[in-house]
């Protein structure tokens, strides 16, 4: 995404399962396009551009251009970019209800049988924030957290065949990290799994795991002790023969025990969120920011050790990234290092 104060260029690259480039599409967006996430359907790439204003002169000469950007209160623009490069991009204004769509987290998107484009997102409402600069640790109490973290809800947007845009709040429970069964990615889904706070629609840190049914509108949840906090849920499909149900599988997450300052791996049933396994890890593992379950990632001990060795080598040279040469020798690494540690991936 190339940006300046008056226009932005967005390039979308599409790769195959072997990470080989299949296609790329370049489009021009108006103004400074501050985009945090996107989704894909069978027919479109979906981007939402919030309203951002800039001072052109300050943007040009300021050493930190980000400081001259201002998020405006107003409607955002939905861009539907056809995956067929012969077709034109469609840009539509999203109805404004007081919440600026500045940092949407897409859950999934799909084209339905009526020709509509539907996408579910976790929307953040920043109007409760105190606006004060943060320093680490930025929240030492629930009151601190509530003044620094945005309200979140689960929202569905629908673009009709006639290009009318509508929105519906599916749940106002404070939620984070929405995921689905990956087999339904870019297709219609019924269930969404989320991390949720323990205080309903009030701002609270991610703590429990919830399952939302988009058909019935019902939600069930699993909540640990008050001093335990779950990270992002990940859907693990069942390996049983003949399994067709969307929620046939398991939910994995890392749980942090605030009393012991240690983490556990937890596994829940994807059907009813009943606890199946709690495996203590013996150390504190930081909560990750987005991931997925890879059924083929069955690494042997020596593979893990080789890749860990490369990661350590890169970290030890981390302050020299500006000196990287085309063969990575500036990091003390050679191309055969990558071949050694990653094999046929490269």
């Amino acid at each position: 995404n190339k940006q300046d104060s008056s226009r932005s260029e967005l390039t979308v690259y599409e790769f195959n399962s072997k990470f080989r480039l299949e296609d790329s599409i370049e489009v021009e967006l108006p103004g400074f396009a501050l985009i945090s996430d996107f989704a894909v359907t069978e027919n479109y790439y979906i981007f939402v551009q919030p309203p951002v204003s800039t001072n052109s002169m300050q943007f040009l000469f300021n050493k930190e251009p980000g400081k001259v950007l201002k998020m405006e209160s107003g409607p955002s623009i939905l861009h539907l970019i056809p995956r067929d490069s012969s077709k034109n991009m469609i840009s539509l204004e999203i109805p404004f209800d007081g919440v600026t769509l500045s940092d949407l987290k897409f859950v999934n998107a799909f084209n339905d049988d009526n020709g509509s484009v539907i996408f579910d997102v976790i929307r953040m409402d920043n109007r409760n924030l105190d606006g004060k600069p943060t320093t680490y640790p930025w929240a030492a109490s629930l009151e601190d957290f509530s003044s620094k973290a945005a309200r979140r809800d689960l929202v569905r947007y629908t673009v009709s065949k006639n290009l009318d845009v509508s929105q519906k709040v599916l749940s106002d429970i404070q939620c984070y990290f929405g995921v689905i069964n990956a087999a339904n990615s870019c297709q219609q889904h019924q269930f969404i799994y989320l991390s949720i706070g323990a205080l309903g629609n009030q701002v609270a840190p991610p703590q429990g795991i919830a399952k939302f049914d988009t058909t019935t509108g019902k939600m069930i949840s699993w909540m640990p002790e008050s001093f335990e906090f779950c990270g992002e849920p990940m859907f693990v499909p069942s390996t049983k023969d003949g399994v067709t149900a969307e929620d046939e599988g398991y939910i994995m997450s890392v749980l942090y025990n605030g009393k012991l300052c240690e983490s556990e791996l937890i596994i829940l049933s994807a059907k009813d969120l009943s606890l199946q396994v709690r495996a203590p890890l013996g150390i504190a593992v930081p909560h990750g920011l987005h991931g997925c379950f890879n059924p083929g990632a069955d690494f042997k001990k020596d593979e893990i050790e080789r890749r860990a060795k490369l990661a350590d080598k890169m970290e030890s040279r981390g302050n020299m990234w500006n000196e990287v040469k085309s063969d990575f020798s500036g990091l003390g690494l050679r191309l055969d290092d990558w071949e050694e540690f990653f094999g046929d991936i490269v």
Side-chain angles (χ1 to χ4, degrees), residues 256-273:
Y256 179 73
N257 185 314
K259 282 188 175 181
L260 298 177
C261 295
E262 294 182 356
S263 299
E264 301 177 43
L265 177 66
I266 63 166
I267 301 177
L268 310 176
S269 165
K271 280 197 173 294
D272 58 11
L273 297 188

Side-chain angles (χ1 to χ4, degrees), residues 146-265:
S146 298
S147 66
K148 301 296 184 184
R151 275 275 304 112
R152 289 168 166 82
D153 52 12
L154 181 64
V155 181
R156 168 163 290 189
Y157 291 91
T158 301
V159 183
S160 72
K161 193 173 183 180
N162 297 326
L163 301 183
D164 296 318
V165 183
S166 62
Q167 67 181 34
K168 176 184 178 182
V169 176
L170 300 179
S171 172
D172 64 355
I173 299 295
Q174 181 80 359
C175 57
Y176 310 78
F177 303 122
V179 299
I180 64 168
N181 182 339
N184 289 79
S185 292
C186 309
Q187 304 173 57
Q188 187 165 355
H189 59 276
Q190 181 176 352
F191 303 111
I192 300 173
Y193 299 90
L194 313 117
S195 294
I196 60 169
L199 300 178
N201 61 5
Q202 299 180 49
V203 177
Q207 188 162 10
I209 303 295
K211 175 185 181 182
F212 182 81
D213 188 328
T214 62
T215 301
T216 65
K218 294 181 178 180
M219 176 183 284
I220 61 173
S221 63
W222 179 85
M223 193 67 64
E225 298 293 335
S226 60
F227 52 85
E228 297 175 326
F229 300 86
C230 291
E232 180 182 19
M234 296 188 187
F235 186 91
V236 180
S238 172
T239 57
K240 297 177 182 177
D241 293 335
V243 169
T244 57
E246 183 181 331
D247 60 351
E248 191 69 55
Y250 303 92
I251 299 298
M252 296 176 62
S253 186
V254 174
L255 177 146
Y256 179 73
N257 185 314
K259 282 188 175 181
L260 298 177
C261 295
E262 294 182 356
S263 299
E264 301 177 43
L265 177 66

Side-chain angles (χ1 to χ4, degrees), residues 69-199:
L69 302 178
K70 181 182 178 182
M71 190 66 63
E72 300 289 349
S73 177
S76 298
I77 303 300
L78 169 66
H79 300 294
L80 300 178
I81 303 175
R83 296 175 72 179
D84 180 351
S85 57
S86 67
K87 297 181 179 179
N88 295 325
M89 178 177 69
I90 301 170
S91 296
L92 306 166
E93 188 173 284
I94 298 177
F96 182 60
D97 62 357
V99 180
T100 300
L101 306 182
S102 59
D103 197 10
L104 291 182
K105 302 299 180 186
F106 283 87
V107 178
N108 190 39
F110 59 92
N111 299 99
D112 71 5
D113 295 335
N114 298 320
S116 298
V117 177
I118 298 173
F119 56 97
D120 294 340
V121 302
I122 293 178
R123 182 181 65 166
M124 289 191 278
D125 182 353
N126 297 315
R127 291 177 294 179
N128 65 298
L129 305 185
D130 59 21
K132 297 178 181 178
T134 58
T135 56
Y136 182 83
W138 60 271
S141 67
L142 181 58
E143 183 179 357
D144 288 345
F145 187 90
S146 298
S147 66
K148 301 296 184 184
R151 275 275 304 112
R152 289 168 166 82
D153 52 12
L154 181 64
V155 181
R156 168 163 290 189
Y157 291 91
T158 301
V159 183
S160 72
K161 193 173 183 180
N162 297 326
L163 301 183
D164 296 318
V165 183
S166 62
Q167 67 181 34
K168 176 184 178 182
V169 176
L170 300 179
S171 172
D172 64 355
I173 299 295
Q174 181 80 359
C175 57
Y176 310 78
F177 303 122
V179 299
I180 64 168
N181 182 339
N184 289 79
S185 292
C186 309
Q187 304 173 57
Q188 187 165 355
H189 59 276
Q190 181 176 352
F191 303 111
I192 300 173
Y193 299 90
L194 313 117
S195 294
I196 60 169
L199 300 178

Side-chain angles (χ1 to χ4, degrees), residues 30-68:
F32 189 97
L34 191 64
I35 293 173
S36 61
D37 200 2
F38 74 101
V40 183
T41 72
E42 182 180 358
N43 299 325
Y44 296 102
Y45 306 110
I46 301 175
F47 293 85
V48 173
Q49 181 181 351
V52 175
S53 63
T54 62
N55 182 307
S56 299
M57 292 302 295
Q58 290 184 21
F59 183 87
L60 184 62
F61 294 107
N62 199 304
K63 293 182 179 180
E64 299 181 72
K67 291 187 175 181
V68 301

